[in-house]
Amino acid sequence: MKLTVAAKKSLQFNKMRNYQQLLIWQKGMDLVEQVYLLVASFPAEERFGLRSQLTRAATSIPSNIAEGSSRGSEKDYKRFIEIALGSAFEVETQLLITVRVGLSSPPAAEPALGLVREEQMMLQSFLRRLGG
């Protein structure tokens, strides 16, 4: 039985739906873990400030990848990946702020910065594959 181009594309799209098998989701989870390790050393008064913003932004990356996988259309899925990419740039900025204001040192922030930059490139590549 021959599949139409639309059917092949649909099957390919549905294969991507198992978000836990996506490397972008796995890297996002690694980034969340790294961010939580970094902010553990922040002073208590930062609990509701940059620490909270940074952990929420990092958490939103794999969360949006997962949520997008539940969407019925490729357009909706792509939008959630775009949101995850925006969050990745937000995390990078917040990590740079932690260094600038002295909440972390460059060597302490580097593991998370390296992961978030890798995640950004992977998300951009994934968006291109989705046609964006």
Side-chain angles (χ1 to χ4, degrees):
M1 173 167 121
K2 275 202 155 203
L3 294 174
T4 65
V5 173
K8 285 180 185 178
K9 189 172 183 176
S10 178
L11 284 173
Q12 183 182 24
F13 179 62
N14 287 330
K15 272 197 263 181
M16 291 186 282
R17 295 303 189 104
N18 188 348
Y19 67 89
Q20 292 183 13
Q21 291 185 1
L22 290 172
L23 193 53
I24 56 171
W25 182 83
Q26 294 168 8
K27 278 290 183 201
M29 294 294 284
D30 292 345
L31 175 60
V32 169
E33 186 177 353
Q34 197 62 50
V35 164
Y36 269 90
L37 288 172
L38 178 69
V39 302
S41 65
F42 286 10
E45 61 267 14
E46 271 304 316
R47 194 167 123 205
F48 300 110
L50 193 55
R51 178 184 190 166
S52 175
Q53 277 189 286
L54 185 51
T55 55
R56 282 185 289 118
T59 302
S60 77
I61 297 168
S63 297
N64 275 294
I65 294 165
E67 187 174 352
S69 73
S70 73
R71 299 303 167 162
S73 75
E74 195 167 344
K75 181 180 177 184
D76 287 342
Y77 187 41
K78 182 180 157 194
R79 180 70 185 125
F80 278 89
I81 301 301
E82 289 169 341
I83 293 167
L85 178 60
S87 294
F89 281 103
E90 183 180 354
V91 168
E92 180 184 27
T93 298
Q94 292 167 354
L95 288 168
L96 293 170
I97 290 169
T98 68
V99 172
R100 286 187 85 160
V101 300
L103 290 171
S104 64
S105 66
E110 189 50 45
L113 278 167
L115 277 172
V116 76
R117 289 173 178 151
E118 186 178 357
E119 181 76 350
Q120 290 165 355
M121 289 186 298
M122 290 170 58
L123 286 165
Q124 288 169 333
S125 175
F126 193 72
L127 276 170
R128 281 191 298 275
R129 278 187 27 216
L130 291 175

